[in-house]
Amino acid sequence: MLEKLKNEVYQSNMQLSKLGLVTFTWGNVSGIDRKKGLFVIKPSGVAYENLTPEDMVVVNLKGEVVEGKLNPSSDTPTHTVLYNEFPLIGGIVHTHSPWAVSFAEAGMDIPALGTTHADTFYGDVPVSDALSKAEIESDYEENTGKVIVRTFKEKSIDPSAVPAVLVRQHGPFTWGKDPQQAVYNAKVLEVVAEMSYHALQLTKADIKVPQFLLDKHYYRKHGKDAYYGQTNAKSKIHAKKI
Amino acid sequence: MLEKLKNEVYQSNMQLSKLGLVTFTWGNVSGIDRKKGLFVIKPSGVAYENLTPEDMVVVNLKGEVVEGKLNPSSDTPTHTVLYNEFPLIGGIVHTHSPWAVSFAEAGMDIPALGTTHADTFYGDVPVSDALSKAEIESDYEENTGKVIVRTFKEKSIDPSAVPAVLVRQHGPFTWGKDPQQAVYNAKVLEVVAEMSYHALQLTKADIKVPQFLLDKHYYRKHGKDAYYGQTNAKSKIHAKKI
Amino acid sequence: MLEKLKNEVYQSNMQLSKLGLVTFTWGNVSGIDRKKGLFVIKPSGVAYENLTPEDMVVVNLKGEVVEGKLNPSSDTPTHTVLYNEFPLIGGIVHTHSPWAVSFAEAGMDIPALGTTHADTFYGDVPVSDALSKAEIESDYEENTGKVIVRTFKEKSIDPSAVPAVLVRQHGPFTWGKDPQQAVYNAKVLEVVAEMSYHALQLTKADIKVPQFLLDKHYYRKHGKDAYYGQTNAKSKIHAKKI
Amino acid sequence: MLEKLKNEVYQSNMQLSKLGLVTFTWGNVSGIDRKKGLFVIKPSGVAYENLTPEDMVVVNLKGEVVEGKLNPSSDTPTHTVLYNEFPLIGGIVHTHSPWAVSFAEAGMDIPALGTTHADTFYGDVPVSDALSKAEIESDYEENTGKVIVRTFKEKSIDPSAVPAVLVRQHGPFTWGKDPQQAVYNAKVLEVVAEMSYHALQLTKADIKVPQFLLDKHYYRKHGKDAYYGQTNAKSKIHAKKI
């Protein structure tokens, strides 16, 4: 079942590895079929070089395995929460990419300091609160999803406009309309984390970009007035910006 | 038309990718035929692995597409301004290379701290002012070109002697006598940004090089008394310095 | 003799090189056969590209060469001490990986700042005391082993729970149940050193993770209640975490 | 003439590129035949991919070209001074490797902070004085050699014990008993510059290693009591340390 989606999720997992975002097996991608209410996710702890499309695991929106011989990613309950609470997203990525993790460990948002950031993220990428002892000791991975959702609600951030979060003391989750876009956003996040880190070391001045720059860059790539790229773009994941 | 220039611009775009200066499609190179008053530029949002010489778009000095099936780079109006205002340049490069972007985000010039810098840039590489709300909301890309030109005029910098700029909150543009040299300068800029960053973290002393070192290094590579390299150098882009 | 173990140690040495943990020949891996009381170690100063499984040297727990045409690693006395004093370990790795060395040179523990760290190291990775003049001038490599053991005793750290140390002014040693796991731990150490470095530069706040997060992450991967990965995992070294 | 040495110098130049120490053509290696009083050096500004052993240029100890169709490296006068003033060295390397350049630009010695440094450099790697206006305007490259020699004399450093220098505002030169060892030292210098940079950012404590550690590490690899490596080592450049 869901052969096409399984292949797409498989390819996106492999792309994650090729983009230099994972050490060992520390990353996972999932994608959802909204009509069927099922999502496909990488199995737990299988090396990328051994992974096949058939290894992908099918899970329903209660987080139950529907098909698959292998255990799904241990982060599956986090993905389940996000698919239930963010109804517009079609793919999710989790990595331990080092620049994004450094901000998560420091407990700092990745501030919007330039157009590279604004092209993909319509504002600062938020860091979540730390999980409490109770949240960690029971239903840990589910609570990881809940703290992400709470972060976006409390800060009134639209998850479609800022498709990424840093879970404090842990690392980044990103999402998108499909698995490929979620992978694209995971790479952009790592790149802007690196740029922001160095800019913040160079100066103590307030260097956040103004709202009108965020508006300009975000909307020239998103929504009905977007004017980037080609209608006949050959590869969606590469067609985001010149 | 302009088949030779198209191929040159195509090769320079591919070189940009090989030199590690671009993530996804975030870079573009153009080159101009001054006699015909036409320039050739990369199409918008096409992945490097899918790019062909035929995809290049021909544009006139009003910024109008003269030939090409694809949309030109969304930065085309910036290139148009630069070709009109800097009559000696033959090629332009724009990237989001991370070290140079970090200085652009911090709003800092890349200071001339050593011979690696002085061999290519005859002084600090300036950061432009930030664009105003009005400049961003209308004719944004054209105004990006204008703020670059304004920066060089206000600071009395010769764009042939310092063939690079950082657009504040955005990133670097470089240029040269042809597309290959503009690519070469884009790489040098990234390397000297990295070196300067680390030197500035190591010490708070004033470590800018004196004018006579700039003179020596710049003029042993440029102008009639240059004594670097070979007259029979096999590859212009590699023949800049031992 | 010990052909299987020699091959395993050879493969682990090659893996060390592939994971980007060594410059030139600056690294070594050993593995022990506890029943026979013999361990196998890389010869001294042989380039990775010339190394063969037959080059591995067999050493007893007094540190004497039992078989092998080449000199064993000059760090052999350090390995001997660790195998004698840490009876549960089956493999040892030494490298000069740059991020870990930077902490060793700064004389600082690598603090546990996130889940990437807690998944493998149940607490801070300790830096040892510096060796004294007497300890360096006589039996230097043996004393390097002794200072590691002393560090774990004085700080009451279980070497099975924190399978890594930084020898001050020198660099990291890691270990594991077998050579592959020791290599895995050497890579994790380098990655968490890099992440911790950047987090520590971003903030002066106390960002150490709480004990309950260490408990959660460590025990979901270790011991009888672990729930990570697959029982049918294809590659042990890659099966540590999704 | 000198075909064997030309090939050796050619191979060492290619090695410099493979070790990631050069951008474009910014590096050169030379090697000397002390009996004949002639040295062989890379030509100026030829790309590594186009270089052949036959392109190497033969120069005498007055700095005059004896054989070769191409111009020698513009740094040839610097090499000439070093071969004349440091009679024990057999090969010289110059690069613009970024970590070493950062210290040169900051005007700081690379301090000896650990065993990685002490294994190759018997003490801090010194930064030279800046060249004066007069020294730069006339015989610049020769004066670069002279300021290196002056630095070692004034600080009473033995160039055989510390085979590297940072020319202030410029970059590193290294040397060795032959071109391969000079290349090896150029790589070690870059690695220890990176490690030292990060250690210096982590702490403001005095973390220089004591003299007895320098003695131990330097002399276990150099001189008559050295006990590293194999007498039957297959590759000298890789046989420096386990």
Side-chain angles (χ1 to χ4, degrees):
Chain A
M1 64 192 295
L2 298 174
E3 299 308 317
K4 186 154 167 286
L5 183 58
K6 275 183 194 168
N7 195 55
E8 199 179 337
V9 169
Y10 164 75
Q11 296 290 353
S12 295
N13 273 291
M14 298 308 285
Q15 183 77 357
L16 209 60
S17 172
K18 278 177 209 149
L19 289 169
L21 295 171
V22 289
T23 302
F24 295 121
T25 61
W26 306 347
N28 50 69
V29 185
S30 71
I32 193 166
D33 182 324
R34 284 282 176 191
K35 284 187 186 162
K36 297 210 171 85
L38 298 172
F39 68 91
V40 167
I41 193 165
K42 178 164 164 282
S44 184
V46 177
Y48 286 93
E49 61 267 37
N50 296 329
L51 212 60
T52 67
E54 294 71 38
D55 291 337
M56 301 297 119
V57 183
V58 181
V59 181
N60 67 22
L61 283 171
K62 295 177 193 162
E64 299 160 342
V65 172
V66 171
E67 190 206 61
K69 281 170 289 188
L70 297 167
N71 297 335
S73 163
S74 62
D75 294 312
T76 298
T78 313
H79 290 240
T80 307
V81 171
L82 295 182
Y83 282 126
N84 280 307
E85 298 289 331
F86 294 166
L88 297 178
I89 69 178
I92 298 172
V93 165
H94 173 50
T95 77
H96 286 237
S97 63
W99 289 104
V101 167
S102 296
F103 277 85
E105 291 186 350
M108 287 174 61
D109 296 353
I110 301 177
L113 303 183
T115 62
T116 319
H117 186 113
D119 279 332
T120 299
F121 304 114
Y122 187 48
D124 300 349
V125 173
V127 67
S128 78
D129 287 338
L131 271 70
S132 69
K133 188 166 189 289
E135 285 170 328
I136 282 181
E137 288 181 350
S138 134
D139 300 323
Y140 172 55
E141 289 84 2
E142 185 180 337
N143 286 328
T144 298
K146 287 182 178 171
V147 82
I148 294 172
V149 173
R150 201 164 67 220
T151 300
F152 278 69
K153 283 194 180 150
E154 285 175 3
K155 302 195 177 188
S156 300
I157 304 172
D158 174 0
S160 297
V162 181
V165 74
L166 304 174
V167 177
R168 194 181 290 235
Q169 296 166 342
H170 188 158
F173 282 81
T174 62
W175 46 83
K177 65 182 168 62
D178 53 33
Q180 294 96 309
Q181 199 183 54
V183 170
Y184 179 90
N185 293 342
K187 179 67 178 181
V188 178
L189 187 71
E190 184 66 1
V191 170
V192 298
E194 179 184 355
M195 290 169 171
S196 288
Y197 172 89
H198 290 123
L200 293 173
Q201 299 289 314
L202 281 170
T203 181
K204 296 302 162 204
D206 178 10
I207 52 174
K208 281 203 190 184
V209 295
Q211 185 61 38
F212 54 83
L213 186 146
L214 283 174
D215 289 342
K216 175 66 186 179
H217 267 265
Y218 191 73
Y219 289 115
R220 69 175 187 168
K221 284 185 51 196
H222 300 88
K224 66 177 172 55
D225 295 327
Y227 59 94
Y228 267 107
Q230 312 289 337
T231 35
N232 58 348
K234 292 162 187 167
S235 161
K236 282 224 163 47
I237 198 170
H238 288 132
K240 303 290 293 190
K241 185 175 176 297
I242 286 204
Chain B
M1 63 192 295
L2 297 174
E3 299 309 315
K4 185 153 168 288
L5 183 59
K6 276 183 193 168
N7 195 55
E8 199 179 337
V9 169
Y10 164 76
Q11 295 290 353
S12 294
N13 273 290
M14 298 307 286
Q15 184 76 357
L16 209 60
S17 172
K18 277 177 208 151
L19 289 169
L21 295 171
V22 289
T23 301
F24 296 122
T25 60
W26 306 347
N28 50 68
V29 185
S30 70
I32 193 166
D33 182 323
R34 285 281 175 192
K35 284 187 186 162
K36 297 208 171 85
L38 298 172
F39 68 90
V40 167
I41 192 164
K42 179 165 164 282
S44 184
V46 177
Y48 287 93
E49 60 267 38
N50 297 329
L51 212 60
T52 67
E54 293 73 37
D55 291 337
M56 301 298 117
V57 184
V58 181
V59 181
N60 68 23
L61 282 171
K62 294 177 193 164
E64 298 160 342
V65 172
V66 171
E67 189 205 63
K69 281 170 290 188
L70 297 166
N71 298 334
S73 163
S74 62
D75 294 313
T76 299
T78 313
H79 290 241
T80 308
V81 171
L82 295 181
Y83 282 125
N84 280 306
E85 298 288 331
F86 294 166
L88 297 178
I89 69 177
I92 298 173
V93 165
H94 173 50
T95 78
H96 286 235
S97 63
W99 289 105
V101 167
S102 296
F103 276 84
E105 292 187 350
M108 288 173 60
D109 296 353
I110 301 177
L113 303 183
T115 62
T116 320
H117 186 112
D119 279 331
T120 299
F121 305 114
Y122 186 48
D124 300 349
V125 173
V127 66
S128 78
D129 287 337
L131 271 69
S132 68
K133 189 165 188 291
E135 286 170 328
I136 281 181
E137 288 180 351
S138 132
D139 301 322
Y140 172 56
E141 289 84 2
E142 185 179 336
N143 286 328
T144 298
K146 286 181 180 172
V147 82
I148 294 172
V149 174
R150 201 164 68 220
T151 301
F152 277 69
K153 282 194 181 149
E154 284 176 4
K155 301 195 178 188
S156 301
I157 303 173
D158 173 0
S160 297
V162 181
V165 73
L166 304 175
V167 176
R168 195 181 289 235
Q169 297 166 343
H170 188 156
F173 283 80
T174 62
W175 46 83
K177 65 182 168 62
D178 53 32
Q180 293 96 309
Q181 199 185 54
V183 170
Y184 179 90
N185 292 343
K187 178 67 178 180
V188 178
L189 187 72
E190 184 66 0
V191 170
V192 298
E194 178 184 356
M195 290 169 171
S196 287
Y197 173 89
H198 289 124
L200 292 173
Q201 299 288 313
L202 280 170
T203 182
K204 297 301 162 204
D206 178 10
I207 52 174
K208 281 204 190 183
V209 296
Q211 185 61 38
F212 54 83
L213 186 146
L214 284 173
D215 289 341
K216 174 69 186 178
H217 267 264
Y218 190 72
Y219 289 114
R220 69 176 186 167
K221 284 185 52 196
H222 300 87
K224 65 177 174 52
D225 295 327
Y227 58 94
Y228 266 106
Q230 311 290 336
T231 34
N232 58 347
K234 291 162 189 167
S235 161
K236 282 223 164 48
I237 198 170
H238 287 135
K240 302 291 291 191
K241 185 177 175 297
I242 285 204
Chain C
M1 64 192 293
L2 297 174
E3 299 308 317
K4 185 155 167 287
L5 183 59
K6 276 183 193 169
N7 195 56
E8 198 179 338
V9 169
Y10 164 75
Q11 296 289 352
S12 295
N13 274 291
M14 298 307 286
Q15 183 76 357
L16 209 60
S17 173
K18 279 178 207 149
L19 289 169
L21 296 171
V22 289
T23 301
F24 296 120
T25 60
W26 307 346
N28 50 69
V29 185
S30 70
I32 193 166
D33 182 323
R34 285 283 176 189
K35 282 188 189 162
K36 297 210 171 86
L38 299 172
F39 68 92
V40 166
I41 191 164
K42 178 163 165 282
S44 184
V46 177
Y48 286 95
E49 61 266 39
N50 296 329
L51 211 60
T52 67
E54 294 71 39
D55 291 337
M56 301 298 118
V57 184
V58 181
V59 181
N60 68 22
L61 283 170
K62 293 178 194 164
E64 298 160 341
V65 172
V66 171
E67 189 206 62
K69 281 169 288 186
L70 297 167
N71 298 335
S73 162
S74 62
D75 295 312
T76 298
T78 313
H79 290 242
T80 307
V81 171
L82 295 181
Y83 282 126
N84 280 307
E85 297 290 332
F86 295 167
L88 298 178
I89 69 177
I92 298 172
V93 166
H94 172 51
T95 78
H96 286 235
S97 63
W99 289 105
V101 167
S102 296
F103 277 84
E105 291 186 350
M108 288 173 61
D109 295 353
I110 301 177
L113 303 183
T115 61
T116 319
H117 186 112
D119 279 332
T120 298
F121 304 114
Y122 186 49
D124 301 349
V125 173
V127 66
S128 78
D129 287 338
L131 271 69
S132 68
K133 187 165 189 290
E135 285 170 328
I136 282 182
E137 289 182 349
S138 134
D139 300 322
Y140 171 55
E141 289 83 3
E142 185 180 336
N143 287 328
T144 298
K146 286 183 179 170
V147 81
I148 294 172
V149 173
R150 201 164 67 220
T151 300
F152 278 69
K153 281 195 180 149
E154 284 177 4
K155 302 195 177 188
S156 300
I157 303 172
D158 173 1
S160 297
V162 180
V165 73
L166 304 174
V167 176
R168 193 181 291 235
Q169 297 166 339
H170 187 156
F173 283 80
T174 61
W175 47 83
K177 65 181 168 62
D178 53 32
Q180 293 97 310
Q181 199 183 54
V183 170
Y184 179 90
N185 292 343
K187 178 67 177 180
V188 177
L189 187 71
E190 184 66 1
V191 170
V192 299
E194 179 184 355
M195 291 170 171
S196 288
Y197 173 88
H198 290 124
L200 292 173
Q201 298 289 314
L202 281 170
T203 181
K204 297 301 161 204
D206 179 10
I207 51 174
K208 280 204 190 183
V209 295
Q211 185 60 38
F212 54 83
L213 186 146
L214 284 173
D215 289 342
K216 175 67 185 180
H217 267 264
Y218 191 73
Y219 289 114
R220 69 175 186 167
K221 285 186 51 196
H222 299 88
K224 67 176 173 51
D225 295 326
Y227 58 95
Y228 267 107
Q230 313 289 337
T231 34
N232 57 346
K234 291 162 189 166
S235 162
K236 280 223 163 49
I237 198 170
H238 288 132
K240 302 291 292 190
K241 184 175 176 297
I242 285 204
Chain D
M1 65 192 294
L2 297 173
E3 298 309 316
K4 186 155 169 285
L5 183 59
K6 277 183 192 168
N7 196 55
E8 198 179 338
V9 169
Y10 165 76
Q11 295 291 352
S12 295
N13 273 290
M14 298 308 286
Q15 183 76 358
L16 208 60
S17 173
K18 278 178 208 149
L19 288 169
L21 296 171
V22 288
T23 301
F24 296 121
T25 60
W26 306 347
N28 50 68
V29 184
S30 70
I32 192 166
D33 182 323
R34 285 283 176 190
K35 284 187 187 162
K36 297 208 171 87
L38 298 172
F39 67 91
V40 166
I41 193 164
K42 178 165 164 283
S44 184
V46 177
Y48 287 93
E49 60 267 39
N50 296 329
L51 212 60
T52 67
E54 293 72 38
D55 291 336
M56 301 299 118
V57 184
V58 181
V59 181
N60 67 22
L61 282 171
K62 295 177 194 165
E64 299 160 342
V65 171
V66 171
E67 189 207 63
K69 282 169 289 187
L70 298 166
N71 298 334
S73 163
S74 61
D75 294 313
T76 298
T78 313
H79 290 241
T80 308
V81 171
L82 295 181
Y83 282 126
N84 280 307
E85 298 289 331
F86 294 167
L88 298 178
I89 69 178
I92 299 173
V93 165
H94 172 51
T95 78
H96 285 235
S97 64
W99 289 104
V101 166
S102 297
F103 277 84
E105 291 186 349
M108 288 173 60
D109 295 354
I110 301 177
L113 303 183
T115 61
T116 319
H117 186 112
D119 279 332
T120 299
F121 304 113
Y122 187 48
D124 301 349
V125 173
V127 66
S128 78
D129 288 337
L131 270 69
S132 68
K133 188 165 188 291
E135 286 170 329
I136 282 183
E137 289 181 350
S138 134
D139 301 322
Y140 172 55
E141 289 82 2
E142 185 179 336
N143 286 329
T144 298
K146 286 183 180 170
V147 81
I148 294 172
V149 174
R150 200 164 69 219
T151 300
F152 277 70
K153 281 193 181 151
E154 284 176 4
K155 301 195 177 188
S156 301
I157 304 173
D158 174 0
S160 298
V162 180
V165 74
L166 304 174
V167 176
R168 195 181 288 234
Q169 298 167 341
H170 188 156
F173 283 80
T174 62
W175 47 83
K177 64 182 169 61
D178 52 33
Q180 293 97 308
Q181 199 184 54
V183 170
Y184 179 90
N185 293 343
K187 179 67 178 180
V188 177
L189 186 72
E190 183 67 0
V191 170
V192 299
E194 179 184 356
M195 291 170 171
S196 288
Y197 173 88
H198 290 124
L200 293 173
Q201 298 288 314
L202 281 170
T203 181
K204 297 300 162 206
D206 178 9
I207 51 175
K208 281 204 191 182
V209 296
Q211 184 61 38
F212 54 83
L213 186 145
L214 283 174
D215 289 341
K216 176 66 185 180
H217 267 264
Y218 190 73
Y219 289 114
R220 68 176 186 167
K221 284 185 53 197
H222 300 87
K224 66 177 175 49
D225 295 326
Y227 59 95
Y228 268 106
Q230 312 289 337
T231 33
N232 57 347
K234 292 161 189 167
S235 161
K236 281 224 162 49
I237 197 169
H238 287 134
K240 302 291 294 190
K241 186 176 175 296
I242 285 205

